[in-house]
Amino acid sequence: MDISVVIPLFNEEESLPELMAWINNVMMANNFSYEAIFVDDGSTDHSWHVINRLKEEYPTVRAIKFRRNYGKSAALNVGFEATRGDVVITMDADLQDSPDEIPELYRRIKEEKYDLISGWKKKRYDPVTKTIPTKLFNAATRKMSGIKLNDFNCGLKAYRNDVVKTIEVYGEMHRYIPVIAKWAGFSKIGEQVVEHRARKYGVTKFGLSRFVNGFLDLLSIFFVGKFGKRPMHFFGSLGVLSFLLGTIMALWMIGVKLYHISMHIPYKREITEQPLFYIALVAIVVGSQMFLTGFVAELVTRSAPERNQYLIEKEIN
């Protein structure tokens, strides 16, 4: 099979027939063998009934329905597991992503050997309250990940099949799939300017909380990707640094007091009356706790069944 199209959706009953007809026309015009996998993320409207009607009209339709709303990341992860095509395309169900982009995305994956192509909605039709935070997050993600993409969160993306079979998407990490793919060893990541269409039906399903959650997920990805198998390097380093700073401050105060005593110089304040004493004490305690945290995390990691599971790209014999 050439292409699997994964379409997560939540309450999009109006747009589904038009989207499916559009996808089918593009596929037929380019002689692609394909499947369209709709993942209903607990819709409360008639989306599932619409999908059942589409299945009767289009044999290429496959569908998965969640009992409740789990979020876009969960929908994508389940959809990825079900794919059978050589190239996997993801797009939103609200008609803001154009299926006309599929042939070029497919060509670049197959001919230019990209692992992942991310769409870039250079001209957007979203309100300012959405575009400005999105630009800030894109800039932060570029800085932290080193991936030179302008739009990490675009729903329209293309992947080699083994990419989606390798990565795991959860929480709200669908925004950072290129980062997850890079940490998994898929380094050939490209970008393509795609059309962004104004929303035709319904309203957006994402609120302001997604920006806070998105930033926390970015930190999670960065930490797990860099220190997931060696937590002692992170917690231990910070713990040792904090402990040493606290110890140096404590020794310095003790040294100053001993000097005053040996030189018979009046000592103005006791060590315990100085703010620096409490700063040093907190630094020593925090340092010890962080070191112990790293030690326990290292024990947990070494005892985990997947401690020696690594992603192998190729083997001979």
Side-chain angles (χ1 to χ4, degrees), residues 31 37 56 73 136 162 246 266:
N31 295 316
I37 303 174
E56 297 175 0
S73 292
L136 293 176
D162 57 336

Side-chain angles (χ1 to χ4, degrees), residues 83-103:
T83 57
R84 298 176 297 187
D86 293 337
V87 175
V88 178
I89 306 287
T90 59
M91 62 171 48
D92 294 334
D94 54 13
L95 294 174
Q96 291 191 279
D97 296 331
S98 171
D100 290 335
E101 309 284 354
I102 291 176

Side-chain angles (χ1 to χ4, degrees), residues 61-74:
V61 167
R62 299 172 64 201
I64 300 164
K65 180 174 176 29
F66 288 162
R67 289 188 178 273
R68 65 175 180 86
N69 180 256
Y70 287 98
K72 187 174 181 180
S73 292

Side-chain angles (χ1 to χ4, degrees), residues 20 57 171 182 191 231 274:
M20 187 60 217
E57 185 177 354
K182 180 185 177 183
E191 190 170 54
Q274 300 182 44

